[in-house]
Amino acid sequence: MKKGSVLIVLCAFILVFSVSIAASTVYINEIEVNPESTDSGNEWIELYNDGPSVNLNNWFLQNKDGKNYSLSGNVIDKIFVLDFLSGLDNNGQEIKLLDNNGILKDSYLNFDDNENDSRTWSRMPDGSGSFVFQDAT
């Protein structure tokens, strides 16, 4: 292999490695489908980002009925809460997170919350853990 070819391969490896280190992953992190008192307008979903800031233009959340909740106009550094929501079902709610290309980034099925209290479904630990039903974080 010629010196020029080795240099090109080395530069390509460094570029790919540095891009993979800087890549962010955004997760559904916590969800309140049945808040205390009135649900309508009081439901919310928290997202968690484990890397550099991500522009959420044209990203959206989708519930099990196919209703989309736009995330456009927002940037997530670490945690972002989309609040004042309506239309999340207390029984068997499914939430999908899709990016600006319509690619599924995260999803979770069967959020059940029949208790009209402060408990939410949240990941433990943030971003990568399993969902548990507990007092809101």
Side-chain angles (χ1 to χ4, degrees), residues 43-112:
E43 300 159 338
W44 53 267
I45 299 171
E46 178 187 275
L47 302 178
Y48 176 82
N49 177 17
D50 71 354
S53 296
V54 174
N55 185 328
L56 297 175
N57 244 6
N58 298 316
W59 285 52
F60 59 96
L61 291 158
Q62 186 177 72
N63 72 7
K64 73 177 185 180
D65 299 324
K67 181 177 180 179
N68 293 335
Y69 301 89
S70 175
L71 299 168
S72 286
N74 296 291
V75 172
I76 181 173
D77 293 317
K78 197 64 161 174
I79 297 215
F80 174 78
V81 177
L82 185 64
D83 52 4
F84 307 113
L85 300 178
S86 295
L88 299 177
D89 191 346
N90 298 349
N91 297 310
Q93 184 55 253
E94 300 173 5
I95 298 294
K96 296 176 184 176
L97 173 64
L98 296 107
D99 71 8
N100 58 331
N101 294 310
I103 296 172
L104 182 67
K105 302 307 276 184
D106 194 16
S107 65
Y108 193 75
L109 311 175
N110 298 320
F111 288 111
D112 283 319

